[in-house]
Amino acid sequence: MDTRPIGVFDSGLGGLTALRELARLMPQEDLVYFGDTGRVPYGSRSKDTIIRYAQQDVAFLNTFSPKAIVIACGTVSTTALDALRQQCAVPLYGVVEPAARAAAGLTRNGKVGLIGTQATIRSGAYERALSALRPGTQVTARACPLFVPLVENGRFRPGDIVVETVVGEYLEEVKAQGVDTLMLGCTHYPLLREVIGACMGPQVELVDVGAACARWVNAQLAAQDQLAPADRKGSHRYFVSDSTGDFATLASMFLGEDVTGDVEQIDITVY
Ligand code: DGL
């Protein structure tokens, strides 16, 4: 039994899709979320910058003495995990391994699509994990740089002509390859699930990498007897690096429910 909190972070608010699943699976846990809303997006930045930002995000969450930190960001998980692990004694959970396990288990024809930010696709991390788990898997990868700004601006609903056009263009090649599984390699993308699902067709399984990571973290903590007591009610605290003004409205989109818990703005550059 361990009642220390679980830290969760993302470049922005996309990681709340993972927090939503963590809270559903482990309502007894205290969750501390940091969204680097003042510096989002990370996905178009260099590896060095992503590592530097992520080191500050981890240093901030470490001030809460967490039992685990969840990297609820495809970009940081694919680009900075090794560098972060070298400097952090707290267990760090990224999305790549659990998501690759989910995709490897789902694909029947061995053809997997992958969409993510530019940094994620450049890293090749999902491909490496998949080929280790299921040798011979054919991965068709596509960077989708417009998805994060669209989602952060509330543009993700079916029938939105801009969203439908961008999704159609980005997914054209992945679809043409006949993939039966598509990894939504960025934690912002589950909001586009309906539009992406309609574009790919019902025969294609979609892997939500943040949710896969949340299930993995739950299983790991349970196996190590590190879950908080089941009769406890966990608290949720939110921190952002930009103004908290629109947080409740935007965050409720990602959480699928109203935000409960405090939100505070912090200066991430001091960590
Ligand atoms: N949610 C982040 C990810 O999973 C968004 C990336 C970004 O900030 O560009 O990659």
Side-chain angles (χ1 to χ4, degrees):
M1 297 275 182
D2 188 336
T3 54
R4 287 177 298 164
I6 300 172
V8 185
F9 75 96
D10 178 39
S11 57
L13 301 182
L16 292 171
T17 58
L19 182 127
R20 173 185 185 165
E21 189 67 3
L22 288 164
R24 191 184 71 77
L25 293 168
M26 296 177 280
Q28 74 273 35
E29 299 295 337
D30 291 340
L31 303 175
V32 181
Y33 185 84
F34 174 64
D36 198 358
T37 51
R39 302 190 294 197
V40 68
Y42 283 10
S44 49
R45 299 184 195 276
S46 68
K47 180 171 179 168
D48 287 351
T49 300
I50 294 167
I51 290 174
R52 185 161 47 84
Y53 285 180
Q55 283 169 334
Q56 291 177 318
D57 303 343
V58 167
F60 168 66
L61 288 174
N62 264 328
T63 63
F64 295 88
S65 305
K67 60 186 167 194
I69 293 179
V70 177
I71 305 172
C73 175
T75 304
V76 174
S77 301
T78 54
T79 307
L81 183 60
D82 293 343
L84 293 173
R85 280 199 172 132
Q86 278 166 26
Q87 290 173 0
C88 182
V90 175
L92 290 168
Y93 295 96
V95 299
V96 175
E97 178 76 19
R101 281 178 189 275
L106 283 169
T107 185
R108 298 166 306 279
N109 69 5
K111 293 182 180 180
V112 173
L114 166 67
I115 53 175
T117 65
Q118 288 142 300
T120 289
I121 301 306
R122 190 174 61 220
S123 75
Y126 282 112
E127 289 92 325
R128 283 193 296 281
L130 265 170
S131 79
L133 289 161
R134 192 182 187 285
T137 304
Q138 184 187 314
V139 181
T140 307
R142 176 71 154 100
C144 304
L146 291 176
F147 280 0
V148 170
L150 277 172
V151 168
E152 293 255 338
N153 282 286
R155 302 286 295 271
F156 53 82
R157 295 191 174 83
D160 182 323
I161 187 71
V162 175
V163 175
E164 304 257 1
T165 306
V166 173
V167 168
E169 186 184 314
Y170 280 157
L171 296 184
E172 198 178 342
E173 195 203 332
V174 178
K175 208 174 157 181
Q177 292 300 319
V179 304
D180 68 359
T181 305
L182 176 64
M183 301 174 79
L184 310 183
C186 164
T187 52
H188 280 70
Y189 297 179
L191 275 85
L192 290 161
R193 192 180 183 105
E194 255 189 276
V195 182
I196 291 172
C199 176
M200 295 303 292
Q203 74 288 357
V204 176
E205 301 275 2
L206 303 182
V207 177
D208 174 337
V209 301
C213 181
R215 291 192 291 273
W216 176 255
V217 172
N218 182 30
Q220 295 299 309
L221 292 178
Q224 291 153 24
D225 196 21
Q226 273 199 303
L227 290 170
D231 57 359
R232 188 172 180 277
K233 180 164 168 34
S235 66
H236 297 171
R237 295 179 70 186
Y238 303 93
F239 296 87
V240 287
S241 53
D242 200 2
S243 137
T244 57
D246 291 339
F247 179 82
T249 316
L250 281 171
S252 60
M253 267 168 21
F254 288 90
L255 288 170
E257 60 184 53
D258 286 346
V259 177
T260 52
D262 298 337
V263 52
E264 277 173 53
Q265 182 176 359
I266 57 138
D267 180 1
I268 192 64
T269 61
V270 304
Y271 291 92

